[in-house]
Amino acid sequence: MVRLYGIPGCGPCEIVKMFLAQKGIPFEFVNARQDPEAAQKIRELVGSPTAGVVLEWNGKVEAIRGVSPASLNAWLARYQAEQTPASR
């Protein structure tokens, strides 16, 4: 399960929500307006909720600034690589 930290109505957050849904990736949206720890995490990693998003999964935390198809697809490739067991 991916956790997406942001605020409702934030442009980058809404784009990432749609992207995750389209890719069939289960996620939980953590509203930083209601969760002080989420707000702090966003401030530390991207500065402002409208400057980018924070994704957390499998113990990893990643900030994506400048949400774009390229940045989301790069994240997706890293995410998928971790979901597939290495065949050795």
Side-chain angles (χ1 to χ4, degrees), residues 55-77:
L55 296 167
E56 183 176 88
W57 76 103
N58 295 341
K60 294 180 174 34
V61 177
E62 184 172 339
I64 300 178
R65 289 184 176 90
V67 171
S68 69
S71 65
L72 292 174
N73 286 320
W75 174 85
L76 180 61

Side-chain angles (χ1 to χ4, degrees), residues 35-50:
D35 185 329
E37 289 178 27
Q40 181 63 29
K41 190 173 289 202
I42 291 169
R43 276 192 299 276
E44 289 173 1
L45 296 171
V46 293
S48 161
T50 57

